[in-house]
Amino acid sequence: MAFVRPNIAAMQGYVPGEQPQAGKFIKLNTNENPYPCSPQVALAVQQVLESGLTRYPDPTASSFRHCAAHVLGVDPDWILCGNGSDDILTITTRAFVGQGDALRLPTPSYILYKTLAEIQGAESEEISFLPDWTLPNDFGRATDRLKLAFLPNPNSPSGTVLPPERILEIAEELPCPLLVDEAYVDFAEQNCLHLVEKCEKILVSRTLSKSYGLAGLRFGYVVAQPQIIAELHKVRDSYNCDSLSIAGATAAINDQTWLKENRAKVIATRTRLTEGLRELGFQVVDSQANFVWAPHPEIPVKPLYETLKSQRVLVRYMDYPGWGDALRISVGSDDQIEICLDQLKSAIAKT
Ligand SMILES: *Cc1c(COP(=O)(O)O)cnc(C)c1O
């Protein structure tokens, strides 16, 4: 294609996990919540539908920011909302990273970060995690062109976390903003929200897709100091969140009781999944997210993924150069996890 910018022509494009539109799968491949969202969400969405969709939505999702501010203990002007947190990542990259600049990311981690750098015509500086899933000091090192760093915490695909003290240390060293992607933080023991006040360079992004069971609604947000938020507003779409998602997300974040109960269920099943996989010989690192990373030291895992898929259990097969491959399995319901473990057990017995 001759008309397109060369960096776009050269890139692959991000490929999300499979979303089968037909047939019934036990879906453990994209870290969705296995349980339905708070019932308040449907009521709120219904109310908007009844009053009609003729008007544009509130451009800054004030109702959500107001409620989230209360839950998080920050001011509403420290929050910017997005069409999922992927939109937040796009907005942030657009604001800080230009052609020829560099964007830093750890590896193995969320593959979209690299795609966002490619869209800008920027270089991605990949820093490998150490074998124990901590980061080398290189991650904070200044380089001339470095304009933004992404750090998922908990990390995907490992589910591991870096402590907030370490993240502050990295941010203070970096010559640029650090976006801490807390997509999975509601399943973790600690978060970095309190660092935003301490350090202008730290941005914390969150999503309602995982812990609130709302991947289909598309709503995420970022918390940062107001002078940063003001710049991000300039580069987002004017109406990047629609009236239905704003209403649904507001209802969801107001139902913290639902979140607390859901979190407890997911964490209990995560323990069962981790233990079950270890009994089958997988080398599972402790996860603080709603998925586990399961390499197997003896058995090739790709055929296991394929066998499971043929039996309508979908997990994610991932292969990171230099790190080897593994299955990333989302924490489903207890029943789903039991079926998955049973099928793995019989597939392994046949190898
Ligand atoms: C799922 C995920 C997101 C984005 O989720 P949205 O559905 O776009 O809100 C962001 N970062 C990581 C690491 C994720 O796994």
Side-chain angles (χ1 to χ4, degrees), residues 84-86 89 110 113 152 156 181 183-184 207 209-210 218-219:
S85 64
D86 284 351
L89 302 176
Y110 192 32
Y113 303 146
S156 171
D181 180 346
Y184 300 102
T207 175
S209 296
K210 285 38 185 265
R218 310 306 304 136
F219 203 91

Side-chain angles (χ1 to χ4, degrees), residues 158-329:
S158 60
T160 50
V161 294
L162 298 180
E165 309 82 73
R166 175 72 181 124
I167 288 178
L168 181 59
E169 202 175 81
I170 291 171
E172 282 173 346
E173 245 179 87
L174 279 168
C176 63
L178 171 66
L179 183 135
V180 186
D181 180 346
E182 292 195 337
Y184 300 102
V185 85
D186 290 323
F187 305 108
E189 281 155 23
Q190 285 181 296
N191 67 68
C192 289
L193 202 57
H194 62 286
L195 299 182
V196 174
E197 210 177 358
K198 276 202 183 118
C199 179
E200 184 193 32
K201 286 188 270 177
I202 296 183
L203 293 76
V204 169
S205 70
R206 301 258 176 102
T207 175
L208 275 71
S209 296
K210 285 38 185 265
S211 55
Y212 288 88
L214 288 170
L217 191 75
R218 310 306 304 136
F219 203 91
Y221 60 94
V222 62
V223 182
Q225 293 191 11
Q227 68 279 15
I228 304 261
I229 295 287
E231 300 300 324
L232 298 181
H233 271 297
K234 297 180 189 169
V235 302
R236 65 174 177 84
D237 290 350
S238 334
Y239 301 107
N240 60 334
C241 302
D242 62 85
S243 308
L244 299 175
S245 73
I246 295 169
T250 305
I253 202 151
N254 272 334
D255 195 347
Q256 290 294 304
T257 310
W258 182 94
L259 180 71
K260 216 172 137 201
E261 287 170 7
N262 183 268
R263 169 192 149 90
K265 281 191 283 189
V266 170
I267 289 176
T269 311
R270 181 177 73 200
T271 305
R272 294 178 54 165
L273 175 60
T274 304
E275 287 167 359
L277 289 168
R278 283 180 185 153
E279 278 167 28
L280 297 174
F282 289 93
Q283 245 161 23
V284 184
V285 60
D286 282 330
S287 166
Q288 291 204 25
N290 67 335
F291 55 85
V292 301
W293 178 242
H296 202 297
E298 286 133 33
I299 300 166
V301 295
K302 194 166 189 197
L304 296 177
Y305 153 79
E306 281 157 357
T307 305
L308 256 59
K309 188 174 174 182
S310 72
Q311 291 164 355
R312 313 228 128 223
V313 174
L314 208 49
V315 301
R316 190 85 173 256
Y317 168 78
M318 298 177 117
D319 189 4
Y320 287 95
W323 273 78
D325 59 352
L327 303 179
R328 194 194 66 188
I329 306 178

